Protein backbone atom coordinates (compact mmCIF):
# COMPACT_ATOMS: atom_id res chain seq x y z
CA UNK A 1 0.00 0.00 0.00
CA UNK A 2 2.85 2.35 0.84
CA UNK A 3 4.13 2.46 -2.68
CA UNK A 4 0.84 3.95 -3.84
CA UNK A 5 1.04 6.95 -1.60
CA UNK A 6 3.31 8.97 -3.81
CA UNK A 7 2.56 7.17 -7.02
CA UNK A 8 3.92 4.00 -8.48
CA UNK A 9 7.42 5.31 -8.75
CA UNK A 10 9.93 4.24 -6.20
CA UNK A 11 10.02 6.23 -3.00
CA UNK A 12 11.97 6.03 0.17
CA UNK A 13 10.53 5.24 3.56
CA UNK A 14 11.48 8.72 4.79
CA UNK A 15 9.57 10.32 1.92
CA UNK A 16 6.52 8.30 2.76
CA UNK A 17 6.79 9.22 6.41
CA UNK A 18 7.28 12.88 5.54
CA UNK A 19 4.25 12.71 3.28
CA UNK A 20 2.11 11.08 5.92
CA UNK A 21 3.18 13.54 8.59
CA UNK A 22 2.70 16.65 6.46
CA UNK A 23 -0.58 15.63 4.88
CA UNK A 24 -1.83 14.11 8.14
CA UNK A 25 -1.00 17.27 10.08
CA UNK A 26 -2.60 19.42 7.40
CA UNK A 27 -5.75 17.35 7.45
CA UNK A 28 -5.80 17.40 11.22
CA UNK A 29 -5.42 21.19 11.34
CA UNK A 30 -8.01 21.66 8.65
CA UNK A 31 -10.35 19.39 10.58
CA UNK A 32 -9.75 21.53 13.69
CA UNK A 33 -10.42 24.70 11.69
CA UNK A 34 -13.51 23.20 10.14
CA UNK A 35 -15.01 21.90 13.36
CA UNK A 36 -13.88 24.58 15.82
CA UNK A 37 -13.41 27.78 13.84
CA UNK A 38 -15.87 27.44 10.99
CA UNK A 39 -18.32 25.65 13.23
CA UNK A 40 -18.24 28.69 15.46
CA UNK A 41 -18.19 31.44 12.88
CA UNK A 42 -20.62 29.67 10.56
CA UNK A 43 -20.17 31.78 7.46
CA UNK A 44 -23.49 32.02 5.58
CA UNK A 45 -25.02 30.21 8.53
CA UNK A 46 -23.37 26.85 7.78
CA UNK A 47 -20.05 25.09 8.18
CA UNK A 48 -18.11 24.91 4.89
CA UNK A 49 -16.33 21.66 4.01
CA UNK A 50 -12.60 22.43 3.92
CA UNK A 51 -11.54 18.79 4.02
CA UNK A 52 -13.07 18.01 0.66
CA UNK A 53 -10.87 20.70 -0.89
CA UNK A 54 -7.83 19.18 0.77
CA UNK A 55 -8.65 15.71 -0.53
CA UNK A 56 -9.29 17.09 -4.00
CA UNK A 57 -6.01 19.03 -4.04
CA UNK A 58 -4.00 15.99 -2.97
CA UNK A 59 -5.81 13.91 -5.61
CA UNK A 60 -5.11 16.41 -8.38
CA UNK A 61 -1.44 16.89 -7.57
CA UNK A 62 -0.34 13.58 -6.04
CA UNK A 63 -2.56 11.21 -7.98
CA UNK A 64 -5.62 9.13 -7.25
CA UNK A 65 -3.80 6.61 -5.08
CA UNK A 66 -2.61 9.26 -2.68
CA UNK A 67 -5.97 11.03 -2.99
CA UNK A 68 -7.92 7.88 -2.14
CA UNK A 69 -5.88 7.15 0.95
CA UNK A 70 -6.05 10.80 1.96
CA UNK A 71 -9.82 10.71 1.43
CA UNK A 72 -10.22 7.72 3.75
CA UNK A 73 -8.01 9.31 6.39
CA UNK A 74 -9.68 12.70 6.07
CA UNK A 75 -13.14 11.17 6.34
CA UNK A 76 -12.08 9.26 9.40
CA UNK A 77 -10.54 12.31 11.08
CA UNK A 78 -13.52 14.55 10.46
CA UNK A 79 -15.90 11.82 11.59
CA UNK A 80 -13.81 11.25 14.69
CA UNK A 81 -13.81 14.92 15.61
CA UNK A 82 -17.27 16.00 14.62
CA UNK A 83 -19.63 13.16 13.82
CA UNK A 84 -21.73 11.47 16.46
CA UNK A 85 -23.85 9.17 14.36
CA UNK A 86 -23.60 7.51 11.01
CA UNK A 87 -20.16 7.56 9.46
CA UNK A 88 -20.04 7.81 5.68
CA UNK A 89 -17.33 10.35 4.99
CA UNK A 90 -14.35 7.92 4.62
CA UNK A 91 -16.27 6.08 1.91
CA UNK A 92 -17.54 9.22 0.18
CA UNK A 93 -14.20 11.03 0.17
CA UNK A 94 -12.41 7.89 -0.99
CA UNK A 95 -14.75 7.26 -3.92
CA UNK A 96 -14.69 10.93 -4.90
CA UNK A 97 -10.90 11.07 -4.80
CA UNK A 98 -10.52 7.81 -6.62
CA UNK A 99 -12.89 8.63 -9.47
CA UNK A 100 -11.72 12.19 -9.96
CA UNK A 101 -8.08 11.20 -9.72
CA UNK A 102 -8.56 8.26 -12.05
CA UNK A 103 -10.21 10.25 -14.80
CA UNK A 104 -7.78 13.15 -14.42
CA UNK A 105 -5.03 10.64 -14.98
CA UNK A 106 -6.74 8.88 -17.87
CA UNK A 107 -7.70 12.12 -19.58
CA UNK A 108 -4.47 13.79 -18.51
CA UNK A 109 -6.65 16.73 -17.53
CA UNK A 110 -4.23 19.05 -15.80
CA UNK A 111 -4.64 22.79 -15.67
CA UNK A 112 -6.81 25.21 -13.77
CA UNK A 113 -9.88 24.66 -15.94
CA UNK A 114 -9.74 20.94 -15.26
CA UNK A 115 -9.21 21.65 -11.58
CA UNK A 116 -12.23 23.92 -11.63
CA UNK A 117 -14.35 21.18 -13.17
CA UNK A 118 -13.06 18.75 -10.58
CA UNK A 119 -13.90 21.26 -7.86
CA UNK A 120 -17.43 21.50 -9.26
CA UNK A 121 -17.70 17.71 -9.12
CA UNK A 122 -16.43 17.77 -5.54
CA UNK A 123 -19.10 20.33 -4.69
CA UNK A 124 -21.65 18.01 -6.25
CA UNK A 125 -20.39 15.22 -4.04
CA UNK A 126 -20.64 17.54 -1.06
CA UNK A 127 -24.20 18.37 -2.03
CA UNK A 128 -25.16 14.69 -2.24
CA UNK A 129 -23.41 14.00 1.06
CA UNK A 130 -25.31 16.77 2.80
CA UNK A 131 -28.54 15.54 1.25
CA UNK A 132 -27.84 11.98 2.40
CA UNK A 133 -26.94 13.06 5.93
CA UNK A 134 -30.00 15.30 6.16
CA UNK A 135 -32.22 12.54 4.89
CA UNK A 136 -30.76 10.06 7.36
CA UNK A 137 -31.13 12.52 10.20
CA UNK A 138 -34.57 14.01 9.52
CA UNK A 139 -36.20 11.28 7.35
CA UNK A 140 -38.20 13.96 5.51
CA UNK A 141 -36.80 16.96 3.69
CA UNK A 142 -38.45 20.13 2.52
CA UNK A 143 -36.29 20.39 -0.56
CA UNK A 144 -36.62 24.13 -1.15
CA UNK A 145 -35.83 24.85 2.46
CA UNK A 146 -32.94 22.39 2.37
CA UNK A 147 -31.62 24.00 -0.77
CA UNK A 148 -31.89 27.60 0.41
CA UNK A 149 -30.95 27.33 4.03
CA UNK A 150 -28.44 24.50 3.96
CA UNK A 151 -27.14 23.19 0.67
CA UNK A 152 -26.54 26.39 -1.26
CA UNK A 153 -24.94 28.28 1.66
CA UNK A 154 -22.75 25.26 2.31
CA UNK A 155 -21.68 25.04 -1.32
CA UNK A 156 -21.02 28.76 -1.41
CA UNK A 157 -18.96 28.60 1.80
CA UNK A 158 -17.07 25.56 0.58
CA UNK A 159 -16.34 27.23 -2.72
CA UNK A 160 -15.15 30.41 -1.08
CA UNK A 161 -13.05 28.94 1.72
CA UNK A 162 -11.99 26.03 -0.46
CA UNK A 163 -10.55 28.50 -2.94
CA UNK A 164 -8.71 30.19 -0.07
CA UNK A 165 -7.03 27.00 1.09
CA UNK A 166 -6.58 25.46 -2.36
CA UNK A 167 -3.47 27.40 -3.28
CA UNK A 168 -1.54 26.85 -0.02
CA UNK A 169 -2.37 23.15 -0.27
CA UNK A 170 -1.36 23.15 -3.90
CA UNK A 171 2.03 24.51 -2.83
CA UNK A 172 2.44 21.83 -0.17
CA UNK A 173 1.50 19.03 -2.57
CA UNK A 174 3.73 20.29 -5.38
CA UNK A 175 6.59 20.55 -2.89
CA UNK A 176 5.97 17.00 -1.74
CA UNK A 177 5.94 15.78 -5.34
CA UNK A 178 9.11 17.69 -6.04
CA UNK A 179 10.87 16.00 -3.15
CA UNK A 180 10.15 12.67 -4.70
CA UNK B 1 -15.93 -0.99 -15.27
CA UNK B 2 -12.25 -1.57 -15.23
CA UNK B 3 -11.87 1.32 -12.90
CA UNK B 4 -13.49 -0.59 -10.04
CA UNK B 5 -11.72 -3.85 -10.69
CA UNK B 6 -8.21 -3.10 -9.63
CA UNK B 7 -6.72 -4.33 -6.41
CA UNK B 8 -5.98 -0.89 -4.96
CA UNK B 9 -9.59 0.22 -5.31
CA UNK B 10 -10.93 -2.92 -3.69
CA UNK B 11 -8.52 -2.73 -0.77
CA UNK B 12 -9.29 0.93 -0.18
CA UNK B 13 -13.01 0.28 -0.52
CA UNK B 14 -12.77 -2.45 2.08
CA UNK B 15 -10.86 -0.20 4.44
CA UNK B 16 -13.35 2.62 3.97
CA UNK B 17 -16.31 0.31 4.45
CA UNK B 18 -14.79 -1.20 7.57
CA UNK B 19 -14.07 2.23 9.00
CA UNK B 20 -17.58 3.44 8.24
CA UNK B 21 -19.20 0.31 9.60
CA UNK B 22 -17.11 0.16 12.76
CA UNK B 23 -17.53 3.88 13.42
CA UNK B 24 -21.28 3.78 12.85
CA UNK B 25 -21.72 0.64 14.89
CA UNK B 26 -19.71 1.98 17.82
CA UNK B 27 -21.50 5.26 17.58
CA UNK B 28 -24.95 3.70 17.53
CA UNK B 29 -23.99 1.47 20.47
CA UNK B 30 -22.88 4.51 22.41
CA UNK B 31 -19.19 3.65 22.48
CA UNK B 32 -16.23 5.55 21.18
CA UNK B 33 -13.51 3.73 19.32
CA UNK B 34 -10.09 3.96 20.96
CA UNK B 35 -8.64 5.63 17.90
CA UNK B 36 -11.35 8.28 18.01
CA UNK B 37 -10.76 8.72 21.71
CA UNK B 38 -7.04 9.28 21.14
CA UNK B 39 -7.73 11.62 18.28
CA UNK B 40 -10.19 13.53 20.41
CA UNK B 41 -7.69 13.87 23.24
CA UNK B 42 -4.99 15.08 20.87
CA UNK B 43 -7.38 17.49 19.21
CA UNK B 44 -8.75 19.01 22.41
CA UNK B 45 -5.98 21.58 23.09
CA UNK B 46 -5.93 22.55 19.44
CA UNK B 47 -9.65 22.94 19.36
CA UNK B 48 -9.54 24.94 22.57
CA UNK B 49 -6.86 27.20 21.09
CA UNK B 50 -8.79 27.56 17.86
CA UNK B 51 -11.94 28.41 19.75
CA UNK B 52 -10.18 31.01 21.89
CA UNK B 53 -8.61 32.63 18.84
CA UNK B 54 -11.90 32.50 16.98
CA UNK B 55 -13.75 34.06 19.87
CA UNK B 56 -11.12 36.76 20.21
CA UNK B 57 -11.17 37.54 16.50
CA UNK B 58 -14.93 37.40 16.22
CA UNK B 59 -15.13 39.49 19.41
CA UNK B 60 -12.84 42.04 17.78
CA UNK B 61 -15.05 42.23 14.71
CA UNK B 62 -18.14 42.10 16.84
CA UNK B 63 -16.84 45.22 18.57
CA UNK B 64 -16.98 47.06 15.26
CA UNK B 65 -20.30 45.50 14.39
CA UNK B 66 -21.53 46.60 17.79
CA UNK B 67 -20.13 50.07 17.25
CA UNK B 68 -21.99 50.30 13.96
CA UNK B 69 -25.12 49.04 15.65
CA UNK B 70 -24.64 51.57 18.44
CA UNK B 71 -24.20 54.39 15.94
CA UNK B 72 -27.38 53.30 14.18
CA UNK B 73 -29.13 52.99 17.50
CA UNK B 74 -27.88 56.41 18.53
CA UNK B 75 -29.24 57.93 15.35
CA UNK B 76 -32.54 56.21 15.93
CA UNK B 77 -32.67 57.48 19.49
CA UNK B 78 -31.79 61.00 18.42
CA UNK B 79 -34.60 60.90 15.90
CA UNK B 80 -36.84 59.54 18.61
CA UNK B 81 -35.79 62.33 20.96
CA UNK B 82 -36.45 64.95 18.28
CA UNK B 83 -39.84 63.45 17.64
CA UNK B 84 -40.64 63.28 21.34
CA UNK B 85 -39.46 66.84 21.87
CA UNK B 86 -41.73 67.99 19.08
CA UNK B 87 -44.55 66.03 20.63
CA UNK B 88 -43.72 67.47 24.04
CA UNK B 89 -43.76 71.01 22.67
CA UNK B 90 -47.04 70.31 20.98
CA UNK B 91 -48.39 68.79 24.19
CA UNK B 92 -47.28 71.86 26.12
CA UNK B 93 -49.09 74.05 23.62
CA UNK B 94 -52.16 71.89 23.98
CA UNK B 95 -51.84 71.96 27.75
CA UNK B 96 -51.59 75.73 27.73
CA UNK B 97 -54.57 75.96 25.44
CA UNK B 98 -56.40 73.46 27.58
CA UNK B 99 -55.67 75.49 30.70
CA UNK B 100 -56.83 78.62 28.98
CA UNK B 101 -60.01 76.97 27.82
CA UNK B 102 -60.58 75.54 31.28
CA UNK B 103 -60.13 79.01 32.70
CA UNK B 104 -62.56 80.24 30.14
CA UNK B 105 -64.99 77.52 31.08
CA UNK B 106 -64.37 78.33 34.74
CA UNK B 107 -65.25 81.92 34.05
CA UNK B 108 -68.34 80.84 32.17
CA UNK B 109 -69.35 78.68 35.10
CA UNK B 110 -68.50 81.30 37.62
CA UNK B 111 -70.29 84.08 35.81
CA UNK B 112 -72.95 82.44 33.67
CA UNK B 113 -74.56 85.77 33.00
CA UNK B 114 -71.51 87.17 31.21
CA UNK B 115 -71.00 87.38 27.49
CA UNK B 116 -67.29 86.77 27.11
CA UNK B 117 -64.92 87.30 24.23
CA UNK B 118 -61.55 85.65 24.45
CA UNK B 119 -58.58 87.78 23.43
CA UNK B 120 -54.85 87.43 23.22
CA UNK B 121 -52.40 89.98 24.55
CA UNK B 122 -50.42 91.11 21.54
CA UNK B 123 -48.55 94.09 22.95
CA UNK B 124 -47.86 96.20 25.97
CA UNK B 125 -47.09 99.82 26.52
CA UNK B 126 -45.37 99.92 29.82
CA UNK B 127 -41.72 99.67 30.46
CA UNK B 128 -41.45 98.27 33.94
CA UNK B 129 -44.90 97.05 34.53
CA UNK B 130 -47.63 96.14 32.13
CA UNK B 131 -50.29 98.71 32.77
CA UNK B 132 -51.67 99.25 29.30
CA UNK B 133 -51.66 96.52 26.75
CA UNK B 134 -53.12 95.66 23.41
CA UNK B 135 -55.45 92.79 22.58
CA UNK B 136 -56.25 91.15 19.27
CA UNK B 137 -59.92 91.97 19.39
CA UNK B 138 -61.66 95.09 18.12
CA UNK B 139 -64.92 96.44 16.85
CA UNK B 140 -65.06 93.64 14.31
CA UNK B 141 -65.50 91.31 17.27
CA UNK B 142 -68.04 93.45 19.03
CA UNK B 143 -65.58 95.14 21.35
CA UNK B 144 -66.20 98.71 22.45
CA UNK B 145 -64.73 101.16 24.90
CA UNK B 146 -65.18 100.61 28.63
CA UNK B 147 -65.75 96.91 28.39
CA UNK B 148 -64.22 95.18 31.41
CA UNK B 149 -61.40 92.76 30.90
CA UNK B 150 -60.98 89.88 33.28
CA UNK B 151 -59.24 86.59 33.81
CA UNK B 152 -60.19 83.77 36.13
CA UNK B 153 -57.99 85.26 38.84
CA UNK B 154 -59.83 88.54 38.79
CA UNK B 155 -60.23 91.96 37.20
CA UNK B 156 -57.59 93.05 34.69
CA UNK B 157 -58.90 96.42 33.58
CA UNK B 158 -61.10 97.88 30.90
CA UNK B 159 -60.95 98.80 27.24
CA UNK B 160 -59.81 102.36 26.72
CA UNK B 161 -59.29 102.42 22.98
CA UNK B 162 -60.59 100.23 20.24
CA UNK B 163 -59.81 99.65 16.58
CA UNK B 164 -61.22 97.30 14.00
CA UNK B 165 -59.15 94.30 15.07
CA UNK B 166 -57.46 95.51 18.22
CA UNK B 167 -58.12 97.28 21.44
CA UNK B 168 -56.11 98.74 24.28
CA UNK B 169 -56.75 97.87 27.86
CA UNK B 170 -55.89 99.92 30.89
CA UNK B 171 -55.21 97.81 33.94
CA UNK B 172 -56.55 98.59 37.35
CA UNK B 173 -53.01 99.68 38.27
CA UNK B 174 -53.00 102.44 35.72
CA UNK B 175 -53.35 105.98 36.99
CA UNK B 176 -54.08 108.50 34.31
CA UNK B 177 -56.20 111.57 34.09
CA UNK B 178 -59.16 109.79 32.61
CA UNK B 179 -58.74 106.37 34.22
CA UNK B 180 -61.79 105.02 35.92
CA UNK B 181 -61.93 103.58 39.39
CA UNK B 182 -63.79 100.44 40.32
CA UNK B 183 -66.65 100.49 42.73
CA UNK B 184 -65.52 97.94 45.28
CA UNK B 185 -66.35 96.41 48.63
CA UNK B 186 -64.58 94.33 51.24
CA UNK B 187 -65.95 90.83 51.19
CA UNK B 188 -65.80 90.25 54.95
CA UNK B 189 -67.21 93.53 56.21
CA UNK B 190 -69.10 94.85 53.21
CA UNK B 191 -67.22 98.14 53.46
CA UNK B 192 -67.63 100.12 50.24
CA UNK B 193 -64.97 102.13 48.44
CA UNK B 194 -63.31 102.81 45.13
CA UNK B 195 -60.24 101.02 43.82
CA UNK B 196 -58.00 103.21 41.66
CA UNK B 197 -54.45 103.26 40.42
CA UNK B 198 -51.71 105.22 42.08
CA UNK B 199 -48.46 106.51 40.65
CA UNK B 200 -46.42 105.40 43.61
CA UNK B 201 -48.09 102.08 44.20
CA UNK B 202 -48.14 101.17 40.51
CA UNK B 203 -44.45 100.50 40.59
CA UNK B 204 -44.99 97.99 43.38
CA UNK B 205 -47.82 96.31 41.51
CA UNK B 206 -50.41 97.70 43.91
CA UNK B 207 -53.47 99.91 43.66
CA UNK B 208 -55.41 101.61 46.38
CA UNK B 209 -58.93 101.52 47.74
CA UNK B 210 -60.18 104.92 48.77
CA UNK B 211 -63.44 106.60 49.78
CA UNK B 212 -63.69 104.20 52.65
CA UNK B 213 -66.05 105.29 55.36
CA UNK B 214 -64.55 106.28 58.66
CA UNK B 215 -64.20 103.51 61.19
CA UNK B 216 -64.61 100.81 58.59
CA UNK B 217 -63.49 97.31 59.49
CA UNK B 218 -60.65 96.51 57.10
CA UNK B 219 -57.91 94.02 57.78
CA UNK B 220 -54.86 92.95 55.87
CA UNK B 221 -55.77 89.89 53.78
CA UNK B 222 -59.36 90.90 53.19
CA UNK B 223 -60.64 90.15 49.73
CA UNK B 224 -61.74 93.11 47.63
CA UNK B 225 -64.53 92.58 45.11
CA UNK B 226 -66.23 94.83 42.58
CA UNK B 227 -69.50 96.26 43.82
CA UNK B 228 -71.14 96.80 40.45
CA UNK B 229 -71.52 100.47 41.23
CA UNK B 230 -70.37 102.45 38.23
CA UNK B 231 -70.56 102.01 34.55
CA UNK B 232 -67.88 99.51 33.69
CA UNK B 233 -67.52 96.53 35.98
CA UNK B 234 -70.24 94.12 36.97
CA UNK B 235 -70.53 93.15 40.62
CA UNK B 236 -68.56 90.48 42.51
CA UNK B 237 -65.47 90.32 40.35
CA UNK B 238 -62.36 89.68 42.39
CA UNK B 239 -60.06 92.68 42.43
CA UNK B 240 -57.38 91.81 44.94
CA UNK B 241 -56.37 91.43 48.56
CA UNK B 242 -55.77 94.14 51.11
CA UNK B 243 -52.07 94.35 51.75
CA UNK B 244 -51.83 97.40 53.94
CA UNK B 245 -54.26 99.78 55.62
CA UNK B 246 -53.15 103.39 56.06
CA UNK B 247 -54.60 106.83 56.66
CA UNK B 248 -54.27 109.46 53.96
CA UNK B 249 -52.19 112.27 55.45
CA UNK B 250 -54.16 115.00 53.67
CA UNK B 251 -57.76 113.85 53.81
CA UNK B 252 -57.32 111.77 56.97
CA UNK B 253 -59.42 109.03 55.37
CA UNK B 254 -58.66 105.35 55.41
CA UNK B 255 -56.78 104.02 52.40
CA UNK B 256 -56.17 100.33 51.76
CA UNK B 257 -53.36 99.22 49.50
CA UNK B 258 -54.65 96.36 47.42
CA UNK B 259 -52.57 93.76 45.64
CA UNK B 260 -54.44 92.59 42.55
CA UNK B 261 -54.99 88.87 42.32
CA UNK B 262 -54.06 89.02 38.64
CA UNK B 263 -50.42 88.57 37.70
CA UNK B 264 -50.17 91.22 35.03
CA UNK B 265 -46.68 90.16 34.01
CA UNK B 266 -47.93 86.73 32.93
CA UNK B 267 -51.01 87.63 30.98
CA UNK B 268 -51.33 85.93 27.63
CA UNK B 269 -55.05 85.46 27.22
CA UNK B 270 -57.84 87.49 28.76
CA UNK B 271 -61.58 87.64 28.54
CA UNK B 272 -63.50 90.75 27.58
CA UNK B 273 -66.95 91.01 29.08
CA UNK B 274 -69.02 92.19 26.17
CA UNK B 275 -72.27 92.09 28.06
CA UNK B 276 -73.93 90.73 31.14
CA UNK B 277 -77.41 89.79 32.14
CA UNK B 278 -79.32 92.12 34.35
CA UNK B 279 -82.57 91.57 36.18
CA UNK B 280 -84.82 88.57 35.85
CA UNK B 281 -85.98 89.10 32.29
CA UNK B 282 -82.76 87.83 30.80
CA UNK B 283 -81.81 91.12 29.13
CA UNK B 284 -78.18 91.74 28.49
CA UNK B 285 -76.56 95.06 28.86
CA UNK B 286 -73.29 96.31 27.61
CA UNK B 287 -70.91 97.73 30.14
CA UNK B 288 -70.56 100.90 28.13
CA UNK B 289 -71.48 104.34 29.16
CA UNK B 290 -69.83 106.52 26.59
CA UNK B 291 -69.16 104.68 23.35
CA UNK B 292 -67.37 106.68 20.69
CA UNK B 293 -69.67 108.42 18.29
CA UNK B 294 -68.51 106.34 15.34
CA UNK B 295 -69.08 103.06 17.15
CA UNK B 296 -72.64 103.65 18.26
CA UNK B 297 -75.09 101.29 16.61
CA UNK B 298 -78.76 100.61 16.83
CA UNK B 299 -78.02 97.34 18.53
CA UNK B 300 -76.10 99.09 21.23
CA UNK B 301 -78.98 101.43 21.77
CA UNK B 302 -81.08 98.44 22.78
CA UNK B 303 -78.84 97.85 25.77
CA UNK B 304 -79.47 99.64 28.99
CA UNK B 305 -76.40 101.42 30.28
CA UNK B 306 -75.63 99.72 33.53
CA UNK B 307 -74.09 102.45 35.48
CA UNK B 308 -75.32 105.19 37.45
CA UNK B 309 -73.38 108.32 36.74
CA UNK B 310 -69.79 107.35 37.13
CA UNK B 311 -68.74 110.29 39.19
CA UNK B 312 -65.17 109.70 38.30
CA UNK B 313 -65.18 105.92 38.74
CA UNK B 314 -66.62 103.04 36.76
Amino acid sequence: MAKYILGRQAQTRSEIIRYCVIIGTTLFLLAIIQTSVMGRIKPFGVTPDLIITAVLTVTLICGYHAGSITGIAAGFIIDALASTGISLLPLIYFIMAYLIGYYVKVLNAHGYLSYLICFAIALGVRFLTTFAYTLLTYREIDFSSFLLSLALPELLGTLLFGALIFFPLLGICVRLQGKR
Amino acid sequence: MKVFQNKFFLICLCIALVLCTVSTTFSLMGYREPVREVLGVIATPFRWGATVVTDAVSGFFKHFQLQGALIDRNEQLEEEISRLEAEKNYAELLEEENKRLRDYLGMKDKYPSFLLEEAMVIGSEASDYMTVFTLNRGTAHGISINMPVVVKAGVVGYVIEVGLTWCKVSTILEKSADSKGIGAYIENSGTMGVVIGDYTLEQQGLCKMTYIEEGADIKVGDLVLSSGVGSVYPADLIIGVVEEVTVDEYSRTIVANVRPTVDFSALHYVLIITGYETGDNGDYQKPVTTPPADQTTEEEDDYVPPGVGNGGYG
Side-chain angles (χ1 to χ4, degrees):
Chain A
M1 178 65 74
K3 71 176 183 182
Y4 290 114
I5 289 178
L6 290 178
R8 288 184 179 279
Q9 292 162 11
Q11 60 242 202
T12 62
R13 181 184 293 270
S14 64
E15 283 173 339
I16 293 169
I17 291 171
R18 186 190 297 117
Y19 171 88
C20 291
V21 169
I22 291 173
I23 295 297
T25 307
T26 305
L27 289 177
F28 182 74
L29 291 178
L30 281 176
I32 297 284
I33 291 171
Q34 183 171 317
T35 56
S36 295
V37 180
M38 294 299 170
R40 211 166 181 82
I41 297 172
K42 285 199 180 295
F44 310 112
V46 293
T47 307
D49 192 350
L50 304 180
I51 293 294
I52 203 166
T53 311
V55 173
L56 183 70
T57 311
V58 172
T59 304
L60 292 174
I61 305 302
C62 302
Y64 70 97
H65 293 102
S68 301
I69 295 167
T70 305
I72 294 170
F76 179 73
I77 291 172
I78 203 75
D79 265 349
L81 291 181
S83 176
T84 53
I86 299 160
S87 176
L88 287 175
L89 288 179
L91 188 65
I92 289 168
Y93 287 161
F94 154 65
I95 293 175
M96 180 200 78
Y98 184 83
L99 290 178
I100 288 176
Y102 185 84
Y103 283 108
V104 164
K105 187 188 175 190
V106 169
L107 300 172
N108 195 23
H110 289 283
Y112 284 109
L113 185 62
S114 306
Y115 292 170
L116 205 61
I117 294 167
C118 293
F119 199 49
I121 295 168
L123 288 179
V125 171
R126 180 65 245 179
F127 176 84
L128 292 174
T129 308
T130 306
F131 185 76
Y133 268 96
T134 311
L135 199 63
L136 286 168
T137 308
Y138 297 105
R139 310 290 178 201
E140 288 179 3
I141 294 178
D142 175 7
F143 194 73
S144 60
S145 172
F146 162 77
L147 208 63
L148 291 173
S149 62
L150 187 61
L152 288 179
E154 189 183 70
L155 293 182
L156 189 65
T158 304
L159 183 68
L160 197 70
F161 288 93
L164 283 176
I165 63 166
F166 175 76
F167 293 100
L169 283 172
L170 195 70
I172 292 171
C173 292
V174 169
R175 195 177 168 82
L176 279 171
Q177 287 291 91
K179 293 266 183 187
R180 190 172 56 188
Chain B
M1 296 296 283
K2 191 181 170 185
V3 64
F4 299 122
Q5 288 171 358
N6 70 64
K7 192 176 158 189
F8 174 80
F9 175 79
L10 293 173
I11 293 172
C12 285
L13 183 66
C14 289
I15 294 171
L17 280 173
V18 168
L19 278 177
C20 288
T21 310
V22 171
S23 291
T24 305
T25 309
F26 270 76
S27 183
L28 292 176
M29 289 169 67
Y31 298 115
R32 284 184 72 83
E33 305 150 70
V35 182
R36 276 192 176 209
E37 195 67 49
V38 171
L39 213 55
V41 170
I42 295 169
T44 301
F46 292 98
R47 299 180 85 173
W48 174 81
T51 304
V52 169
V53 172
T54 306
D55 284 350
V57 172
S58 62
F60 178 73
F61 285 109
K62 197 173 275 182
H63 172 74
F64 290 102
Q65 286 175 346
L66 195 65
Q67 193 181 28
L70 283 174
I71 289 169
D72 291 344
R73 181 73 180 145
N74 192 41
E75 283 174 3
Q76 281 177 1
L77 288 174
E78 278 179 1
E79 282 175 14
E80 184 78 4
I81 287 170
S82 301
R83 191 179 62 77
L84 289 174
E85 275 179 353
E87 279 182 8
K88 181 173 164 280
N89 291 339
Y90 183 63
E92 281 175 356
L93 279 175
L94 288 179
E95 191 182 345
E96 193 180 325
E97 187 183 14
N98 190 29
K99 182 177 176 298
R100 184 162 51 81
L101 291 172
R102 268 192 276 117
D103 286 350
Y104 181 80
L105 276 175
M107 281 295 289
K108 290 289 283 183
D109 290 342
K110 192 173 178 181
Y111 304 107
S113 62
F114 291 175
L115 296 177
L116 298 168
E117 179 69 33
E118 192 186 27
M120 180 193 274
V121 178
I122 57 173
S124 64
E125 295 183 12
S127 54
D128 296 329
Y129 213 86
M130 185 183 275
T131 55
V132 176
F133 50 86
T134 309
L135 306 180
N136 66 340
R137 290 288 185 270
T139 52
H141 308 94
I143 308 301
S144 55
I145 285 178
N146 285 348
M147 285 184 170
V149 178
V150 296
V151 290
K152 194 181 178 186
V155 177
V156 174
Y158 67 101
V159 177
I160 56 169
E161 192 180 342
V162 65
L164 187 66
T165 58
W166 57 270
C167 64
K168 285 186 179 176
V169 174
S170 172
T171 67
I172 57 175
L173 301 175
E174 179 71 7
K175 174 61 182 174
S176 61
D178 57 347
S179 63
K180 291 181 171 60
I182 311 172
Y185 70 97
I186 304 293
E187 187 190 34
N188 287 342
S189 60
T191 304
M192 302 292 283
V194 176
V195 173
I196 54 172
D198 183 272
Y199 286 121
T200 315
L201 297 174
E202 184 182 327
Q203 300 303 316
Q204 303 167 39
L206 300 173
C207 50
K208 67 180 180 183
M209 183 174 174
T210 58
Y211 299 106
I212 300 170
E213 62 192 47
E214 203 174 326
D217 180 22
I218 303 178
K219 291 190 287 293
V220 172
D222 281 350
L223 194 63
V224 182
L225 304 173
S226 64
S227 63
V229 176
S231 59
V232 176
Y233 299 97
D236 298 328
L237 295 174
I238 299 169
I239 297 170
V241 178
V242 174
E243 189 160 289
E244 188 183 12
V245 181
T246 58
V247 177
D248 188 276
E249 56 183 302
Y250 301 112
S251 64
R252 307 303 300 168
T253 55
I254 298 171
V255 176
N257 294 342
V258 177
R259 180 167 294 281
T261 47
V262 174
D263 181 6
F264 295 100
S265 62
L267 281 180
H268 295 295
Y269 290 92
V270 294
L271 294 166
I272 305 169
I273 301 175
T274 57
Y276 49 89
E277 200 176 348
T278 58
D280 299 329
N281 55 3
D283 289 341
Y284 279 87
Q285 75 172 37
K286 280 192 173 183
V288 178
T289 54
T290 53
D294 60 336
Q295 290 176 14
T296 308
T297 62
E298 285 184 5
E299 187 189 353
E300 283 172 345
D301 292 339
D302 294 339
Y303 287 94
V304 180
V308 289
N310 61 22
Y313 61 90

